[in-house]
Amino acid sequence: GGDNGTPGGDNKSPGKGNELPETATNLFNYLMVGLMLLVIGGVSLTVGRMRKFNLK
């Protein structure tokens, strides 16, 4: 078998030698949140600009 690489879930299966420390996990979470905020901000900016152009 070998179902390694599937994200999500706290599946601490025995035999895993490379466990990520909590700091790395928190950093990854912050990174994901930051990316989401960036995407949302970019989309809202684009929508706002398009609306401005359409309100001629």
Side-chain angles (χ1 to χ4, degrees):
D3 199 18
N4 51 359
T6 44
D10 288 293
N11 45 359
K12 289 191 169 71
S13 52
K16 268 191 182 176
N18 47 1
E19 277 282 335
L20 273 177
E22 274 191 34
T23 47
T25 318
N26 286 343
L27 224 140
F28 185 73
N29 285 342
Y30 282 128
L31 220 149
M32 291 302 288
V33 172
L35 270 174
M36 292 281 275
L37 286 176
L38 268 176
V39 169
I40 292 170
V43 169
S44 58
L45 267 177
T46 310
V47 170
R49 282 181 183 171
M50 286 175 88
R51 281 192 181 157
K52 273 186 186 173
F53 280 131
N54 285 341
L55 279 177
K56 275 187 181 174

